[in-house]
Amino acid sequence: MVDILLTGSIVFTGGKLLRNGYVYIRDGRIESVGETPVPEEYTYATLILGGPGRIIAPALTALASVAAYPLRFSSPSMDSRVKFYASNDIKTLILASLPAVYELHMSGVATIIVEGLTPELPIELSRLIGGFYGLAVPVCSGVEPRYVPGLVSAVTIAGSGCEGEADIVEVNGVGFKGSSRLLSVFGGLSYAISRFTSENPWAESMELRRALHLPPPAIKPGRVAEIAVYDVSRPPAMLLDMIEDIDILKVYTSGARLETLIAGEDVLVDTGEHLYIVEKHFNEFRRFAEKLLSRRTL
């Protein structure tokens, strides 16, 4: 049994704001949310995280072509990405995905809808790294999306060079039909969530989850934990925990340091460091990218 106690100056539940609040998680599910004092039985948790100057908020959801990260400088069309997925084995695609998954996790994203051809990639990412994953299959691949246990969703996607009837349609490489700024990066230089790529990550995350028929993220009893903890005790986000309720969504674009990211029973980020994607993975990725460059495929 794993139980986690989070405390913070603010808990944003997704619907309301609690001052000096706590969240108690048992076996990956939220058991209790409230304002201090913390009930005594929760103070003996296995992990106690957060503290003053922290904002506890729902984690985000993103749709991204993580395996195409090595190709991002060439802004490949969807059909080009499909060829890349089809020409590489699962081990290579996992290695190619790690920098993008790292960047998304460090941006407060706990649920990643992976563009790809088969469920193996998102399932293996979940097994090796942790977090929640879905699958978005390009319609031009000729592959039907296959849902398997462990995925949050399996949908079709269409876009430039890959037109057709699909659940989600990429628009100009940065979003999907009906959304001008989705948390989705297909051909851009960065997967990071910032004020330069998204004006309202929270609203866009909510919109994506609606498109995927997923419940909105919320911190409330009974829900699986999808939680980000931000440190606002120092610049650039210092004093953000003292603002009015309506401004709390600025935490997602303030540059606040992500201190902790929790997805179910997985603590993906702790004390601002990713626990599963480390320097050796980046070195392996760089060697892989150098081989691609030597073949002039980038």
Side-chain angles (χ1 to χ4, degrees):
M1 182 185 75
V2 177
D3 54 342
I4 302 171
L5 174 64
L6 301 174
T7 61
S9 296
I10 287 179
V11 175
F12 171 55
T13 68
K16 63 180 180 179
L17 186 150
L18 305 176
R19 301 277 178 181
N20 297 316
Y22 73 88
V23 180
Y24 183 74
I25 304 165
R26 186 190 299 272
D27 294 335
R29 287 191 176 272
I30 299 168
E31 182 171 302
S32 181
V33 182
E35 296 180 333
T36 55
V38 178
E40 184 178 357
E41 62 266 30
Y42 297 152
T43 62
Y44 302 102
T46 306
L47 291 175
I48 299 177
L49 304 171
R54 273 66 178 178
I55 293 178
I56 301 169
L60 299 169
T61 298
L63 168 61
S65 55
V66 295
Y69 189 89
L71 310 178
R72 69 196 191 285
F73 291 116
S74 60
S75 299
S77 62
M78 188 177 292
D79 60 334
S80 297
R81 300 195 301 264
V82 168
K83 293 175 183 176
F84 179 76
Y85 307 147
S87 62
N88 287 282
D89 60 26
I90 186 66
K91 183 177 179 180
T92 301
L93 294 176
I94 290 171
L95 178 61
S97 300
L98 293 182
V101 172
Y102 173 92
E103 197 167 340
L104 286 164
H105 282 170
M106 297 302 292
S107 300
V109 175
T111 299
I112 303 173
I113 310 304
V114 174
E115 182 186 86
L117 304 182
T118 68
E120 280 72 22
L121 178 58
I123 289 295
E124 280 299 293
L125 288 172
S126 177
R127 184 181 70 84
L128 294 172
I129 302 170
F132 301 124
Y133 297 84
L135 175 67
V137 179
V139 292
C140 59
S141 67
V143 176
E144 289 293 323
R146 179 164 55 93
Y147 175 83
V148 298
L151 293 180
V152 300
S153 180
V155 296
T156 54
I157 184 169
S160 176
C162 191
E163 289 80 9
E165 293 293 324
D167 300 302
I168 296 176
V169 178
E170 174 185 316
V171 177
N172 298 325
V174 295
F176 73 93
K177 188 175 181 180
S179 171
S180 59
R181 288 181 176 272
L182 177 68
L183 293 184
S184 111
V185 182
F186 298 103
L189 298 184
S190 176
Y191 287 74
I193 309 307
S194 74
R195 62 177 61 101
F196 303 111
T197 58
S198 176
E199 296 176 357
N200 192 338
W202 169 256
E204 293 152 14
S205 180
M206 294 274 282
E207 185 172 355
L208 174 57
R209 292 181 73 98
R210 282 194 295 269
L212 298 169
H213 306 291
L214 297 177
I219 299 177
K220 64 180 183 180
R223 291 291 297 272
V224 173
E226 293 184 67
I227 297 175
V229 181
Y230 296 93
D231 181 357
V232 295
S233 67
R234 62 196 69 190
M238 193 171 187
L239 305 183
L240 189 60
D241 54 327
M242 298 183 183
I243 63 176
E244 297 297 322
D245 294 8
I246 194 171
D247 292 325
I248 192 60
L249 296 179
K250 290 179 180 177
V251 70
Y252 295 110
T253 55
S254 66
R257 175 175 176 263
L258 180 77
E259 187 171 77
T260 303
L261 182 66
I262 297 174
E265 295 185 69
D266 299 321
V267 179
L268 304 174
V269 177
D270 185 31
T271 64
E273 298 291 334
H274 203 292
L275 299 185
Y276 301 99
I277 303 175
V278 294
E279 194 64 30
K280 74 170 186 175
H281 296 121
F282 298 137
N283 292 335
E284 292 170 357
F285 172 82
R286 180 170 289 276
R287 289 193 290 270
F288 166 65
E290 287 172 350
K291 289 182 180 178
L292 286 179
L293 281 168
S294 68
R295 300 171 194 161
R296 298 185 178 183
T297 57
L298 281 179

